[in-house]
Amino acid sequence: MSVRIGGSRQSRVSFAPGDTTPQVFMAMKRRFTPTARQLNFLIPIGLLALGYALYLRYLAVEQAWVGLSCQAGLATWLCFARQIVITLFKHSVFGSIAVVVAAANLFRPSLALFSIGMVAAAFGIVLYNIGGSGIAIGLLILSFARPVRETG
């Protein structure tokens, strides 16, 4: 019996020594798990998205003086970002994008889809689109159980 963990090599497994029954072929496929180098990319991206979402929520959207200043005609990037976030929240864009990308990542796992889904889910959780973003996080976790597509 030869089995290589994490590889895609086929091996024969016999049920008992000297057994003449047909051999069973097992194929172990590599699961979608980010490598250490990929995690060095994913962790900062996730933390930056979470930090910026927290910044927008607590320092731009919920502050009364920022809302009053922006409604009075203040033209800064903060007012522009605040208006965009409020518009996207009203239409549940963060949760919708997170669910769509996480579902695509569940069917065909890739690092790019995972990172986009993670960023959209982080924005959605912090910026009031909890339902869709929670489902997306569940789908992203389930994508770790999927086999990755073999290349070459």
Side-chain angles (χ1 to χ4, degrees):
M1 176 169 137
S2 65
V3 175
R4 187 173 66 184
I5 303 298
S8 61
R9 192 170 108 190
Q10 292 183 345
S11 62
R12 288 185 218 133
V13 178
S14 179
F15 292 110
D19 192 7
T20 57
T21 59
Q23 301 293 323
V24 177
F25 288 95
M26 294 176 16
M28 296 193 64
K29 293 196 172 204
R30 188 173 65 89
R31 302 288 179 212
F32 173 66
T33 54
T35 63
R37 180 171 288 183
Q38 292 170 339
L39 283 176
N40 286 338
F41 168 76
L42 284 175
I43 291 171
I45 293 294
L47 290 176
L48 283 173
L50 187 64
Y52 191 63
L54 287 169
Y55 170 77
L56 284 175
R57 177 177 175 176
Y58 291 113
L59 295 177
V61 175
E62 288 189 358
Q63 293 291 327
W65 65 271
V66 174
L68 292 173
S69 299
C70 291
Q71 288 176 356
L74 185 64
T76 62
W77 69 269
L78 185 61
C79 291
F80 180 69
R82 180 180 189 275
Q83 187 60 40
I84 289 175
V85 165
I86 290 172
T87 303
L88 294 177
F89 153 70
K90 286 180 182 176
H91 299 292
S92 299
V93 173
F94 297 120
S96 301
I97 289 175
V99 167
V100 168
V101 172
N105 185 55
L106 183 63
F107 291 116
R108 196 174 282 275
S110 73
L111 185 67
L113 286 176
F114 185 83
S115 60
I116 292 169
M118 179 182 64
V119 167
F123 269 87
I125 289 288
V126 174
L127 296 169
Y128 314 108
N129 291 139
I130 297 172
S133 297
I135 292 170
I137 289 173
L139 291 175
L140 288 174
I141 291 171
L142 280 176
S143 71
F144 289 131
R146 298 283 299 168
V148 81
R149 187 175 147 213
E150 295 295 327
T151 57

